Amino acid sequence: MKEIVDIGIGSLALGFLLMVIPIAGFIYFKVKIVKETVIALIRMVIQLSLVAFYLEYIFAWNNAWVNVIWVCVMILVGTFTTIKRAGLTYRFFILPFAISGFISILILDAFFLGFVIHLDYVFDARYFIPISGMVLGNALNHNIVGISNYFGRLTKEQDLYYFLLVNGNSRKNSLAPFIRSAIKSGLNPLIATMSVIGLISLPGMMTGQILGGSSPMVAIKYQILIMLAIFVGCSLNLMLSILLANRFAFDSFGRIKANLFKK
């Protein structure tokens, strides 16, 4: 097996020169996201550097409680980020979104790590944390799209919802077209990605394993399982988020509560 080629600090810094291209484009087209982009880059470097530092200790310690707490922190960070990016108010959505994340990760990790991969120690940090992180990271992106679509349409098209409701439909049936639209908008990008994997791009996990010395066949098998976990996780998380959030977003008469969105 070939030795893994490390990347020096100088080479890593050189890679940042590529950012000149999009930033120059932003300036030319007067797109005011240069500051946000630079801040995001700085945060990415700091956060990933810290992750590399403390994951060394977490992997070496490999304590089930520490690993579970770390995944719980990731779920909570994802919950707050989803609410913030969707422009919603925290008081209505922290609990339903957090519960959705916990249930999704519990089901997926138990099934894939325990029954599919057959790990003797399901909480093994080298599997439990990265796989949970990949599922949560993807679920975050698709949740934001789906949730924004759902509550955005409900707010803008309240007349349609109330029309369906007062004409003999249950709240479930009145919300059905909005839920369908939210699920489609949230998951369509992921379905498109799945349909072209291997043709247009090699996914990150597969590429990382190959660069790390694994055979392409082993990397492909892991990538297939990861894509299944990601798709199920994103779907389950989005649907649960909508269903649980409905318990907080409507009053007992089926009316949409005020102040769902931040002003």
Side-chain angles (χ1 to χ4, degrees):
M1 184 181 297
K2 292 184 179 180
E3 184 179 351
I4 299 173
V5 178
D6 196 5
I7 300 174
I9 298 298
S11 299
L12 187 62
L14 190 63
F16 280 87
L17 287 176
L18 281 174
M19 289 302 300
V20 172
I21 298 172
I23 289 176
F26 299 154
I27 294 172
Y28 179 78
F29 290 107
K30 298 181 180 179
V31 183
K32 296 181 180 180
I33 57 172
V34 175
K35 181 180 177 181
E36 291 87 342
T37 302
V38 173
I39 291 173
L41 280 172
I42 293 171
R43 286 188 59 177
M44 177 188 73
V45 172
I46 293 173
Q47 288 165 185
L48 287 178
S49 299
L50 290 173
V51 166
F53 177 75
Y54 53 68
L55 279 187
E56 290 283 346
Y57 292 95
I58 290 176
F59 284 3
W61 196 357
N62 206 15
N63 180 276
W65 287 109
V66 173
N67 299 344
V68 169
I69 290 171
W70 180 241
V71 170
C72 289
V73 169
M74 290 195 293
I75 292 172
L76 291 175
V77 170
T79 296
F80 280 93
T81 303
T82 300
I83 296 171
K84 180 180 178 181
R85 292 299 179 187
L88 301 169
T89 53
Y90 290 104
R91 64 183 179 131
F92 289 121
F93 298 102
I94 289 176
L95 187 59
F97 290 179
I99 292 174
S100 301
F102 283 117
I103 292 175
S104 301
I105 287 300
L106 178 64
I107 292 172
L108 287 168
D109 282 342
F111 183 76
F112 280 96
L113 299 182
F115 294 101
V116 177
I117 302 178
H118 299 295
L119 289 181
D120 294 328
Y121 181 44
V122 176
F123 298 106
D124 191 327
R126 291 188 179 273
Y127 290 86
F128 181 60
I129 292 176
I131 290 177
S132 298
M134 279 188 282
V135 172
L136 287 170
N138 282 273
L140 170 67
N141 296 328
H142 299 286
N143 253 20
I144 291 172
V145 174
I147 292 296
S148 298
N149 175 285
Y150 180 62
F151 287 106
R153 280 198 63 197
L154 265 178
T155 303
K156 293 177 182 178
E157 302 177 25
Q158 289 188 42
D159 291 343
L160 173 59
Y161 165 67
Y162 289 127
F163 173 80
L164 294 172
L165 193 62
V166 300
N167 278 276
N169 291 288
S170 64
R171 191 176 73 175
K172 176 182 176 182
N173 290 336
S174 300
L175 290 173
F178 298 96
I179 294 176
R180 285 194 293 267
S181 174
I183 293 173
K184 286 182 67 176
S185 67
L187 297 180
N188 267 341
L190 183 55
I191 293 171
T193 299
M194 288 176 62
S195 67
V196 297
I197 280 182
L199 296 176
I200 295 178
S201 65
L202 292 179
M205 180 180 180
M206 177 179 167
T207 302
Q209 282 193 299
I210 292 173
L211 292 175
S214 297
S215 73
M217 189 56 67
V218 172
I220 285 170
K221 286 185 286 187
Y222 268 96
Q223 186 60 58
I224 290 172
L225 285 178
I226 286 299
M227 285 308 302
L228 290 173
I230 287 173
F231 188 79
V232 174
C234 290
S235 304
L236 184 58
N237 205 335
L238 177 56
M239 290 185 285
L240 283 176
S241 294
I242 291 172
L243 293 176
L244 293 176
N246 282 343
R247 291 183 165 271
F248 296 83
F250 299 87
D251 63 21
S252 57
F253 297 101
R255 295 174 299 194
I256 303 170
K257 290 181 180 178
N259 303 321
L260 292 181
F261 286 88
K262 291 180 181 177
K263 294 183 179 179

